[in-house]
């Protein structure tokens, strides 16, 4: 049925010279596989290797406290928007929404134990969102 996830069992995995994966699924003919080219593939989150330092998966930082170097806690990460040229933290500060580019220059550290992202935002960026009425 369209829009539903269908489980497949992997029979064999290889990589080509471009680093792309070639996967052979159980009970899938070459003709069926040809029709599936371009489909999205979803894996369980448990398959992702753990990241450290300033690297993060977008889903893992949702609900992290966002701590600015000057202003302290500016809210919680509601999501990481990935629809522009760079990812953007969508931070909720009460009813206010704050958008901060999720770039290395602004991220000082990620504390996974405390569920905090420490930012060093340009002066005035957060105030732009907080001063709106």
């Amino acid at each position: 049925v369209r829009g539903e996830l269908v489980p497949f069992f992997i029979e064999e995995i290889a990589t080509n010279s471009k680093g792309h994966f070639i996967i052979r699924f159980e009970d899938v003919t070459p003709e069926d596989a040809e029709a599936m080219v371009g489909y999205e593939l979803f894996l369980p989150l448990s398959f992702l290797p753990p990241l450290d330092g300033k690297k993060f998966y977008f889903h893992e930082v949702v609900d992290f406290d966002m701590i600015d170097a000057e202003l302290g806690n500016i809210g919680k990460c509601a999501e990481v928007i990935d629809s522009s040229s760079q990812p953007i933290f969508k931070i909720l500060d009460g009813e206010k929404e704050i958008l901060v580019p999720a770039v290395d220059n602004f991220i000082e550290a990620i504390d996974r134990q405390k569920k905090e992202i420490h930012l060093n935002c340009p002066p005035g960026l957060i105030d732009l969102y907080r001063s709106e009425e």
Side-chain angles (χ1 to χ4, degrees):
V1 178
R2 289 193 163 263
E4 291 185 22
L5 298 179
V6 177
F8 288 94
F9 295 96
I10 297 173
E11 189 173 295
E12 183 181 350
I13 298 178
T15 56
N16 65 14
S17 61
K18 295 181 181 179
H20 297 131
F21 288 96
I22 301 167
I23 302 172
R24 182 184 314 236
F25 295 111
E26 287 181 8
D27 302 323
V28 175
T29 66
E31 294 77 23
D32 292 340
E34 193 67 37
M36 294 167 59
V37 170
Y39 280 21
E40 289 184 309
L41 175 67
F42 296 90
L43 296 171
L45 295 178
S46 61
F47 280 42
L48 296 173
L51 297 177
D52 59 8
K54 295 189 329 184
K55 296 178 185 169
F56 63 93
Y57 294 112
F58 292 178
H59 70 273
E60 96 177 288
V61 298
V62 170
D63 289 331
F64 275 35
D65 287 315
M66 306 299 284
I67 314 295
D68 181 67
E70 283 195 26
L71 301 172
N73 192 325
I74 57 172
K76 287 203 177 281
C77 180
E79 70 176 294
V80 180
I81 302 167
D82 190 28
S83 60
S84 64
S85 60
Q86 63 193 10
I88 297 172
F89 290 120
K90 178 180 172 183
I91 303 165
L92 292 182
D93 179 19
E95 294 291 316
K96 299 229 182 237
E97 182 179 284
I98 299 170
L99 302 177
V100 174
V103 294
D104 279 347
N105 291 347
F106 294 172
I107 302 170
E108 285 190 338
I110 298 176
D111 187 331
R112 287 171 173 80
Q113 299 275 310
K114 293 182 179 177
K115 294 190 172 211
E116 295 177 343
I117 296 180
H118 294 264
L119 301 170
N120 191 359
C121 296
L125 176 64
I126 307 305
D127 294 333
L128 286 172
Y129 292 97
R130 286 185 166 171
S131 64
E132 292 178 359
E133 299 196 24

